[in-house]
Amino acid sequence: MSELLNVVVLGSGCAGNTAAIYAARANLNPLVFEGHEPGGQLSITSDVENFPGFPEGILGPGLIDSMKQQAQRFGATYRYGQVTHADLSMRPFRLELGDGEKIMTRTLIVATGASARWLNLPNEQKLIGHGVSSCATCDGFFFRGKKIMVIGGGDSAMEEATFLSRFGSEVVIVHRREGFRASKIMLERAQNNAKIQFLTNTVVEDIHDVGKGYVTAVRLRNVKTGETYDREVDGFFVAIGHIPNTKPFVGQLDLDPDGYIMTHGGARTNIAGVFHAGDVQDRLYRQAVTAAGAGCMAAIEAERFLEAEGH
């Protein structure tokens, strides 16, 4: 078993990095595990134009790297790896890494994020940030006057399509079934929007054009007739939900039915000394700036918690 740490931060996106900055400046020497997606969602985002302080925008990986360097400057330590098992039944908390190494910590900040569900198409991952996105609020602006496609049939898809209709010349919602899971009000809002079209009983088989380095069209298939055809599109938004990265905490932290951490006020969880930050708890806003704010909250909570205990 390793030395007893004051703060362990799980995750290295905006939430985890900001938590590390604040905890490090409080002389708590936080240890940050970068997780299975180092840098989080921003590491696969090209231009970030809505993070305060960057009037010309900044590349997602660049923003993440600057945050990491800032945290390291104040004494945060970063390690590759992710926690696969956590024992939160007693303090200090015991964490186990994938290679079997065990870590003990007085406090824990869970900033493991939520991973977007993807379609797992042959070219999908290659075109993320080049026309393929899972965040309309983040990337909609880049498709002003362009042809946009949204994949999904739930509230998220309707909300994304409605938002994207402010920018695109047309927005097409593609859904594999005839009916929709979306709530009546969200579906009607999309149906009443003159810019939004619907393609039902249709699935996407692939995205073009990796050779050009950006999205130009998609290959579609009608599930009833089997007909396949290409349709021109500039922006391809996948809106089929997210998966919160909370598996090691099932049965210990209070989670909602979809696996998101339930808040107990501020950044607190149901377990004293364990705090949440970012998309692992926030299923509504999902922005870099809100994740950063949540990381700040979690670190301040951890600092005050330790101070109250005399550490």
PDB file of all heavy atoms in Angstrom, residues 1-3 94-95 102-104:
ATOM      1  N   MET A   1       0.853  -1.198   0.000  1.00  0.00           N
ATOM      2  CA  MET A   1       0.000   0.000   0.000  1.00  0.00           C
ATOM      3  C   MET A   1       0.879   1.235   0.000  1.00  0.00           C
ATOM      4  O   MET A   1       1.890   1.296   0.699  1.00  0.00           O
ATOM      5  CB  MET A   1      -0.913  -0.031   1.219  1.00  0.00           C
ATOM      6  CG  MET A   1      -2.030   0.984   1.180  1.00  0.00           C
ATOM      7  SD  MET A   1      -3.358   0.587   0.005  1.00  0.00           S
ATOM      8  CE  MET A   1      -4.259  -0.656   0.933  1.00  0.00           C
ATOM      9  N   SER A   2       0.489   2.226  -0.771  1.00  0.00           N
ATOM     10  CA  SER A   2       1.285   3.432  -0.916  1.00  0.00           C
ATOM     11  C   SER A   2       1.072   4.378   0.266  1.00  0.00           C
ATOM     12  O   SER A   2       0.304   4.101   1.181  1.00  0.00           O
ATOM     13  CB  SER A   2       0.903   4.141  -2.217  1.00  0.00           C
ATOM     14  OG  SER A   2      -0.442   4.568  -2.152  1.00  0.00           O
ATOM     15  N   GLU A   3       1.764   5.515   0.210  1.00  0.00           N
ATOM     16  CA  GLU A   3       1.593   6.537   1.243  1.00  0.00           C
ATOM     17  C   GLU A   3       0.168   7.066   1.242  1.00  0.00           C
ATOM     18  O   GLU A   3      -0.549   6.952   0.254  1.00  0.00           O
ATOM     19  CB  GLU A   3       2.563   7.697   0.982  1.00  0.00           C
ATOM     20  CG  GLU A   3       2.281   8.404  -0.338  1.00  0.00           C
ATOM     21  CD  GLU A   3       3.153   9.634  -0.561  1.00  0.00           C
ATOM     22  OE1 GLU A   3       3.326  10.402   0.396  1.00  0.00           O
ATOM     23  OE2 GLU A   3       3.633   9.783  -1.692  1.00  0.00           O
ATOM     24  N   ARG A  94      -9.759   3.475  -0.267  1.00  0.00           N
ATOM     25  CA  ARG A  94      -8.792   2.604  -0.950  1.00  0.00           C
ATOM     26  C   ARG A  94      -9.182   2.469  -2.413  1.00  0.00           C
ATOM     27  O   ARG A  94     -10.305   2.082  -2.728  1.00  0.00           O
ATOM     28  CB  ARG A  94      -8.743   1.240  -0.258  1.00  0.00           C
ATOM     29  CG  ARG A  94      -8.040   1.300   1.088  1.00  0.00           C
ATOM     30  CD  ARG A  94      -8.282   0.050   1.925  1.00  0.00           C
ATOM     31  NE  ARG A  94      -7.377   0.015   3.072  1.00  0.00           N
ATOM     32  CZ  ARG A  94      -7.531   0.728   4.179  1.00  0.00           C
ATOM     33  NH1 ARG A  94      -8.555   1.562   4.290  1.00  0.00           N
ATOM     34  NH2 ARG A  94      -6.668   0.622   5.180  1.00  0.00           N
ATOM     35  N   LEU A  95      -8.231   2.789  -3.274  1.00  0.00           N
ATOM     36  CA  LEU A  95      -8.447   2.733  -4.713  1.00  0.00           C
ATOM     37  C   LEU A  95      -7.507   1.707  -5.321  1.00  0.00           C
ATOM     38  O   LEU A  95      -6.353   1.586  -4.896  1.00  0.00           O
ATOM     39  CB  LEU A  95      -8.181   4.104  -5.350  1.00  0.00           C
ATOM     40  CG  LEU A  95      -8.861   5.303  -4.688  1.00  0.00           C
ATOM     41  CD1 LEU A  95      -8.367   6.596  -5.324  1.00  0.00           C
ATOM     42  CD2 LEU A  95     -10.368   5.200  -4.796  1.00  0.00           C
ATOM     43  N   LYS A 102      -2.465  -0.309  -5.290  1.00  0.00           N
ATOM     44  CA  LYS A 102      -3.476   0.255  -4.399  1.00  0.00           C
ATOM     45  C   LYS A 102      -3.028   1.628  -3.889  1.00  0.00           C
ATOM     46  O   LYS A 102      -1.858   1.840  -3.596  1.00  0.00           O
ATOM     47  CB  LYS A 102      -3.740  -0.696  -3.233  1.00  0.00           C
ATOM     48  CG  LYS A 102      -4.405  -2.006  -3.662  1.00  0.00           C
ATOM     49  CD  LYS A 102      -4.645  -2.928  -2.481  1.00  0.00           C
ATOM     50  CE  LYS A 102      -5.474  -4.144  -2.894  1.00  0.00           C
ATOM     51  NZ  LYS A 102      -4.829  -4.948  -3.943  1.00  0.00           N
ATOM     52  N   ILE A 103      -3.989   2.532  -3.822  1.00  0.00           N
ATOM     53  CA  ILE A 103      -3.753   3.911  -3.390  1.00  0.00           C
ATOM     54  C   ILE A 103      -4.677   4.212  -2.214  1.00  0.00           C
ATOM     55  O   ILE A 103      -5.847   3.804  -2.203  1.00  0.00           O
ATOM     56  CB  ILE A 103      -4.063   4.914  -4.535  1.00  0.00           C
ATOM     57  CG1 ILE A 103      -3.245   4.585  -5.793  1.00  0.00           C
ATOM     58  CG2 ILE A 103      -3.835   6.347  -4.084  1.00  0.00           C
ATOM     59  CD1 ILE A 103      -1.783   4.897  -5.693  1.00  0.00           C
ATOM     60  N   MET A 104      -4.166   4.929  -1.215  1.00  0.00           N
ATOM     61  CA  MET A 104      -4.995   5.368  -0.092  1.00  0.00           C
ATOM     62  C   MET A 104      -5.084   6.894  -0.098  1.00  0.00           C
ATOM     63  O   MET A 104      -4.071   7.573  -0.293  1.00  0.00           O
ATOM     64  CB  MET A 104      -4.416   4.900   1.239  1.00  0.00           C
ATOM     65  CG  MET A 104      -4.525   3.408   1.487  1.00  0.00           C
ATOM     66  SD  MET A 104      -4.230   3.001   3.234  1.00  0.00           S
ATOM     67  CE  MET A 104      -2.617   3.690   3.510  1.00  0.00           C
TER      68      MET A 104
END
